[in-house]
Amino acid sequence: MIKTLKTWTFATTLCCLATTSSFGQVPSYSTQAITKDLKFFSDWTASQLADGFKNKQLKQFSSPEIRHLAEQMKNGTYESHYLLNTYAPIPSNKILEEKLKLYNGYSRYENITGVYLEQGEQIVLVGDLHGRKVSLLIADWMRQPTPGFEPTKDPNGWGLKKQEIRLHEGVNVIHVEKAGNVYVDYFADDPETAPGITIHFVTGKVNGYFDAEKQNNEDWKYLLDHAVSPIMDVKTRYMQLAYPVEFLKKFRYEDGKELAQAYDKIMEQQYTFNGAIKYNRIPPKRILARVNFNYFMFRDGDGVAFLGNDGTMKSALGPNIYSDWGVNHEIGHVMQMSPQLTWGGMTEVSNNLFTMYVARQAGQPSRLSKYKNYDHARKNIIETAEKPFIMCVKDPFEKLVPFWQLYLFAQEKGYPDFYADLMEYMRNHPDKGKGNASINNMYEFIKISCDLLQTDLTAFFESWGFFVTGTFDVGDYANYRFNITDKMVKETKDYIAAKAYPKPEKDLTKLTD
């Protein structure tokens, strides 16, 4: 399921010389005192004490918090691993669009700090921003449904809420509205050359995060056992996970590394299917998978979300993630190209091409065969007295049948990269329209399919209702009105006929797996 939601944000930043907060209260930390005390350090992020610093100088500090920091540094007891770091930028969505023509679902929280900030005022020291816009994000991962409403009818929506706090160089005394894990919002169109930004969370608490490519299961268990946040962040090669510690302990306490590998295995298969591996187009970005408390599972602009209960969390965290239809289905929503392969009527169809592919690689029985979708589709589309327009078919699995049959036909021809090559062609060419004009992408899809398969598929598409003419209203998370004219159909058929491709030697509408 896909869910389009508005993002709710609010921002607050206190000037480093301010004496009152934006809430009209005297701040608990004096920015003047903190600023004055930075003279005892080598830089304004207080990354280390100044050369020649003496213990007697501790008496000269104005801020108790900064004096405590200096004491720890002088004694060699300060654990700065998570609290003080330099953050490289994450490639912006411009990079994603250029590489894969994908837009939403990749993480906006990739710069994980491993720091947990309590509610109230906190001290954050920031180095040279080099003219870049940098903010902190505090995600409300554990947000519960609004009391008095059914979770699915929550007036605040199902989406992820966050606090956004714009940073400036030097001393930032920030007001945290709700305690949570903090992330650095620093994206760039030039990630290879953009400078790193140093940030020091002086009053933060260490929660840590699991980097599956650098840590092992002993590190994993230590993190879960010592977590101060209800959420643990996990960084895999292709994914970012944000799940409750409670469920991670329940379902994956011994094998966090294997959990990460299962998600990466899904992504490797989906990247194989869409040609990202073949054409070296895997973006340097991660898809976000998180918990939610409103709905079973869905995809929105922030990634994919799974309900925080035993049943759904077992699907998202248990040993069978790789072959789990729901997990693959939601990730497929992120991977489906729009509008080229997701014109109106296709939102719950083109994502399931990915799901079917991963299930096949995992050795799972075909869902289309198991639930007799092939038979139902033939009965309801091909064998009807008045053939329906394919995009008006209500059942998304019946609508999926012809698209999957093309994959099966390609397999028989020894052409497993059919969809990979098709999507690469689409990435290299402009779409044929959006909104009501998005249906033009369907006829482009027909032409490309015939070209790649070197086969005249006119009869196949005719049988499945792709060439039915008329005006059709299609509801698909948005409402579409498609006006399919004789001219559109004739132009497509003439294009195919001009290629003089051979016709299939058998009826492809009867292919099953």
Side-chain angles (χ1 to χ4, degrees):
M1 179 177 184
I2 186 169
K3 189 75 175 176
T4 303
L5 297 156
K6 294 181 180 178
T7 301
W8 171 84
T9 64
F10 58 88
T12 177
T13 303
L14 300 181
C15 174
C16 64
L17 296 179
T19 57
T20 60
S21 75
S22 59
F23 296 87
Q25 300 171 337
V26 177
S28 55
Y29 300 123
S30 168
T31 52
Q32 293 96 331
I34 296 168
T35 302
K36 182 180 178 181
D37 287 347
L38 291 182
K39 67 184 179 183
F40 296 110
F41 297 85
S42 63
D43 54 43
W44 61 38
T45 64
S47 62
Q48 60 184 18
L49 292 169
D51 290 342
F53 181 85
K54 305 296 183 182
N55 280 337
K56 64 182 181 180
Q57 291 176 281
L58 291 170
K59 298 178 181 179
Q60 302 172 26
F61 277 71
S62 301
S63 165
E65 295 73 32
I66 303 303
R67 181 175 63 247
H68 181 61
L69 171 66
E71 288 174 339
Q72 288 181 297
M73 286 186 171
K74 185 64 177 174
N75 296 334
T77 59
Y78 187 59
E79 298 289 344
S80 64
H81 177 63
Y82 290 104
L83 299 176
L84 171 63
N85 272 304
T86 298
Y87 297 90
I90 302 297
S92 69
N93 271 7
K94 179 180 178 182
I95 305 296
L96 185 64
E97 293 165 19
E98 289 173 351
K99 281 184 169 287
L100 287 176
K101 285 193 177 180
L102 300 177
Y103 305 95
N104 284 324
Y106 278 76
S107 180
R108 301 173 187 181
Y109 304 86
E110 276 197 79
N111 249 328
I112 305 169
T113 67
V115 175
Y116 181 78
L117 293 181
E118 296 280 10
Q119 182 180 13
E121 292 191 351
Q122 304 292 338
I123 301 170
V124 182
L125 305 179
V126 180
D128 192 346
L129 292 176
H130 306 279
R132 304 287 175 139
K133 178 182 176 181
V134 181
S135 299
L136 300 181
L137 301 178
I138 303 175
D140 190 2
W141 302 112
M142 297 294 289
R143 182 179 73 89
Q144 301 298 308
T146 303
F149 294 87
E150 293 181 28
T152 58
K153 298 178 181 179
D154 192 334
N156 289 316
W158 304 349
L160 181 59
K161 312 301 183 185
K162 66 178 181 291
Q163 180 181 0
E164 182 175 353
I165 303 170
R166 182 74 177 270
L167 296 177
H168 56 74
E169 294 166 349
V171 180
N172 292 250
V173 175
I174 65 173
H175 186 92
V176 176
E177 287 291 304
K178 190 172 184 179
N181 299 3
V182 63
Y183 308 84
V184 177
D185 185 14
Y186 179 27
F187 291 84
D189 293 340
D190 57 341
E192 294 84 4
T193 57
I197 304 297
T198 301
I199 302 175
H200 193 171
F201 297 95
V202 176
T203 53
K205 290 186 175 181
V206 172
N207 191 60
Y209 65 89
F210 185 67
D211 187 333
E213 294 196 286
K214 297 179 180 179
Q215 295 173 285
N216 58 36
N217 284 331
E218 289 305 310
D219 299 318
W220 168 253
K221 289 191 286 186
Y222 179 88
L223 286 167
L224 294 182
D225 288 340
H226 293 83
V228 296
S229 167
I231 290 288
M232 181 57 63
D233 290 298
V234 180
K235 181 189 291 187
T236 83
R237 185 176 183 184
Y238 301 122
M239 298 280 296
Q240 178 187 349
L241 314 180
Y243 287 126
V245 172
E246 169 194 359
F247 290 112
L248 292 171
K249 283 184 172 181
K250 186 169 187 176
F251 294 116
R252 283 290 191 171
Y253 181 67
E254 298 289 340
D255 54 352
K257 200 167 183 72
E258 288 74 15
L259 168 68
Q261 290 169 346
Y263 273 98
D264 280 343
K265 195 173 181 180
I266 291 173
M267 290 307 307
E268 285 172 2
Q269 295 297 348
Q270 296 213 14
Y271 278 138
T272 296
F273 185 71
N274 79 348
I277 291 178
K278 179 178 181 179
Y279 293 101
N280 192 29
R281 287 188 178 273
I282 297 178
K285 295 171 71 68
R286 292 175 173 84
I287 290 176
L288 172 64
R290 70 183 195 271
V291 70
N292 90 98
F293 295 90
N294 287 91
Y295 188 73
F296 172 50
M297 56 180 68
F298 61 89
R299 189 227 85 177
D300 62 8
D302 280 312
V304 298
F306 302 94
L307 190 63
N309 63 21
D310 279 2
T312 310
M313 283 290 101
K314 187 173 182 180
S315 293
L317 299 174
N320 299 318
I321 302 168
Y322 174 54
S323 59
D324 185 88
W325 182 273
V327 174
N328 278 279
H329 170 96
E330 299 305 340
I331 293 175
H333 270 307
V334 180
M335 300 293 287
Q336 59 188 163
M337 292 182 68
S338 178
Q340 288 101 323
L341 203 52
T342 313
W343 53 85
M346 287 287 287
T347 307
E348 293 294 342
V349 179
S350 61
N351 65 318
N352 276 334
L353 286 169
F354 289 90
T355 321
M356 288 287 290
Y357 180 80
V358 179
R360 185 183 180 94
Q361 302 309 306
Q364 296 296 302
S366 166
R367 180 164 182 149
L368 296 181
S369 292
K370 181 178 180 180
Y371 294 102
K372 301 187 183 303
N373 295 120
Y374 290 111
D375 296 337
H376 295 155
R378 285 192 62 84
K379 179 181 178 181
N380 295 328
I381 303 173
I382 293 177
E383 297 171 358
T384 55
E386 186 174 348
K387 189 179 301 296
F389 174 51
I390 183 67
M391 289 301 113
C392 289
V393 173
K394 298 297 183 183
D395 190 319
F397 291 102
E398 292 179 16
K399 202 163 18 179
L400 174 64
V401 167
F403 293 94
W404 189 245
Q405 285 179 330
L406 290 176
Y407 172 79
L408 297 178
F409 177 56
Q411 286 286 106
E412 288 188 0
K413 287 175 68 72
Y415 186 17
D417 289 348
F418 165 65
Y419 272 110
D421 291 351
L422 181 141
M423 284 185 256
E424 178 65 9
Y425 179 92
M426 290 176 170
R427 287 189 285 266
N428 290 317
H429 294 81
D431 65 75
K432 297 300 180 180
K434 298 177 175 65
N436 289 339
S438 68
I439 196 61
N440 293 308
N441 294 288
M442 185 179 79
Y443 295 104
E444 181 72 0
F445 167 81
I446 291 171
K447 295 173 186 177
I448 301 168
S449 297
C450 292
D451 287 339
L452 292 177
L453 292 166
Q454 296 286 288
T455 305
D456 184 338
L457 298 169
T458 303
F460 173 80
F461 288 111
E462 185 86 65
S463 297
W464 282 118
F466 285 80
F467 294 138
V468 178
T469 58
T471 299
F472 306 98
D473 291 318
V474 176
D476 181 24
Y477 296 97
N479 294 319
Y480 300 85
R481 171 158 285 193
F482 296 142
N483 184 28
I484 310 301
T485 65
D486 291 333
K487 181 180 179 181
M488 292 167 63
V489 171
K490 183 177 185 301
E491 191 276 331
T492 304
K493 289 182 175 180
D494 287 349
Y495 174 92
I496 299 169
K499 296 299 182 81
Y501 293 135
K503 292 179 170 54
E505 296 181 356
K506 61 182 179 181
D507 184 356
L508 302 187
T509 68
K510 295 182 178 179
L511 284 177
T512 63
D513 54 353

